[in-house]
Amino acid sequence: MNKNQNQFPLLLADDWSDYELIDAGDGFKLERFGKYRFIRPDSQAYWKPKNPVSEWRADASFTGRDGEEMGRWNFKNRVPEKWEMKWRDVEFYARCTPFRHLGLFPEQSTHWAFCSDRIKAAKSAPKVLNLFGYTGLASLVCAKAGAQVTHIDASKKAIGFARENQALGGMQDAPIRWIVEDAIKFVEREIRRGNKYDGIILDPPKHGRGPNGEIFKLEESLYELLSSCAQILSEKPLFLVATVYAVRLSFMALKNTMEDSLSANGFVNANIESGEMALPFSQIDRALPTAIFARATF
């Protein structure tokens, strides 16, 4: 393995026009999604904001501590149920959800670009598996780049939102399979079937439940999950991308776990980079950390 011990990159999602991180601090962040502004809790924002939170002007704010499963939106101005946004040439909807999210994670654009570049450089249409795929933006990006995509999420509602995004962009004929399923059980079946993928994207939650009540805890299942994914990689894969939010885990620990999982399954020459993901401020020379990542190329 190429351990790259001193190369821990910071991935900045600085390629947006429809999203903007305006300010953050005192445990909150002020963001623009399309033409609407929102205030949401963020436990990473320890510092003092550029302007006091009491002076922020937003269309809605979310009540509930960062990391809580549920909360409530307080609307100061009218915000539609959903509204259109765009990243590069991929169109999708944003919406206020009960989980404080807005239908997308803007920092993920760094992975979308990474996967898209590798898919476009491939000689044929690669097979990509998107686990815990949420509203399907990574799946749409990969399909538009030329991949055949299998999208897995345990939430029927999230798959419904993903299909709406597919229709909005006129991508109804894109080669995407939308499957409501527990991610780990799906991968286990793919191992038994002998199915292989050229690229795998996984963005697992800290904890969750499958469609049949299956319990998932990331800190207990990380090695098993990565090892299982390694078993369904093709002989000459393009990438394995993992993002982790809201757990007591360093990017070095994630990198080491991915390294062991791949090595144990024959991928001894994988190049693995790991580090932090962050959103740059639009008006301040600073960035807000959001997640850790590790990604392998072969």
Side-chain angles (χ1 to χ4, degrees):
M1 289 269 179
N2 181 359
K3 299 186 181 300
N4 293 325
Q5 293 291 345
N6 298 314
Q7 299 179 25
F8 298 129
L10 176 66
L11 301 184
L12 285 175
D14 57 1
D15 53 355
W16 283 95
S17 58
D18 277 358
Y19 171 81
E20 179 184 5
L21 176 62
I22 301 168
D23 203 352
D26 289 339
F28 293 92
K29 57 187 173 184
L30 174 63
E31 303 163 285
R32 177 179 61 83
F33 287 77
K35 63 180 181 179
Y36 302 102
R37 291 187 174 200
F38 302 92
I39 297 173
R40 297 190 289 166
D42 195 303
S43 59
Q44 296 280 4
Y46 293 104
W47 53 84
K48 291 296 179 184
K50 179 180 179 182
N51 297 304
V53 174
S54 60
E55 296 180 4
W56 291 357
R57 297 293 175 260
D59 297 289
S61 59
F62 187 83
T63 301
R65 291 177 298 179
D66 186 37
E68 288 186 343
E69 285 296 314
M70 300 288 283
R72 184 168 64 88
W73 286 99
N74 301 301
F75 294 95
K76 293 186 177 180
N77 301 309
R78 183 185 177 278
V79 176
E81 178 185 353
K82 60 185 179 182
W83 63 97
E84 295 181 16
M85 287 182 60
K86 190 174 185 179
W87 178 80
R88 293 188 179 178
D89 58 349
V90 176
E91 299 172 271
F92 53 89
Y93 290 111
R95 66 187 80 220
C96 296
T97 75
F99 303 97
R100 84 179 183 278
H101 306 307
L102 287 110
L104 68 146
F105 295 88
E107 61 271 16
Q108 289 284 337
S109 68
T110 59
H111 289 331
W112 302 341
F114 172 87
C115 295
S116 178
D117 288 346
R118 278 146 187 80
I119 290 167
K120 289 177 180 178
K123 295 181 180 179
S124 58
K127 294 174 61 179
V128 171
L129 175 62
N130 186 11
L131 294 171
F132 311 96
Y134 194 40
T135 57
L137 302 192
S139 296
L140 295 175
V141 168
C142 289
K144 183 154 283 193
Q148 304 173 60
V149 182
T150 299
H151 175 109
I152 308 296
D153 199 283
S155 169
K156 186 176 181 180
K157 181 175 285 188
I159 294 287
F161 292 161
R163 287 184 177 275
E164 288 183 30
N165 289 333
Q166 182 182 26
L168 175 64
M171 295 182 63
Q172 294 91 331
D173 296 329
I176 304 174
R177 293 192 299 156
W178 306 104
I179 300 175
V180 179
E181 177 63 283
D182 175 77
I184 291 181
K185 285 192 173 182
F186 177 84
V187 173
E188 288 173 348
R189 280 204 299 274
E190 293 295 83
I191 293 172
R192 293 194 296 269
R193 293 167 180 159
N195 290 335
K196 301 289 184 178
Y197 295 88
D198 303 300
I200 300 177
I201 304 167
L202 54 150
D203 181 13
K206 180 178 180 179
H207 51 77
R209 290 184 179 273
N212 298 312
E214 301 91 342
I215 296 175
F216 174 83
K217 293 183 179 180
L218 179 60
E219 291 176 338
E220 297 177 2
S221 304
L222 181 60
Y223 181 83
E224 174 191 358
L225 176 61
L226 288 171
S227 182
S228 295
C229 287
Q231 293 179 59
I232 59 172
L233 284 171
S234 62
E235 290 186 3
K236 296 181 179 180
L238 300 176
F239 54 77
L240 171 62
V241 176
T243 308
V244 172
Y245 292 86
V247 297
R248 297 180 64 183
L249 183 74
S250 77
F251 59 80
M252 291 180 67
L254 177 59
K255 174 183 180 290
N256 293 344
T257 306
M258 179 179 284
E259 184 178 68
D260 277 5
S261 301
L262 289 170
S263 181
N265 287 280
F267 295 99
V268 296
N269 295 313
N271 246 328
I272 302 175
E273 62 173 348
S274 67
E276 290 200 46
M277 300 169 69
L279 292 166
F281 288 84
S282 59
Q283 303 172 18
I284 312 169
D285 187 17
R286 180 176 281 178
L288 176 67
T290 59
I292 62 172
F293 79 94
R295 59 191 190 190
T297 52
F298 304 86

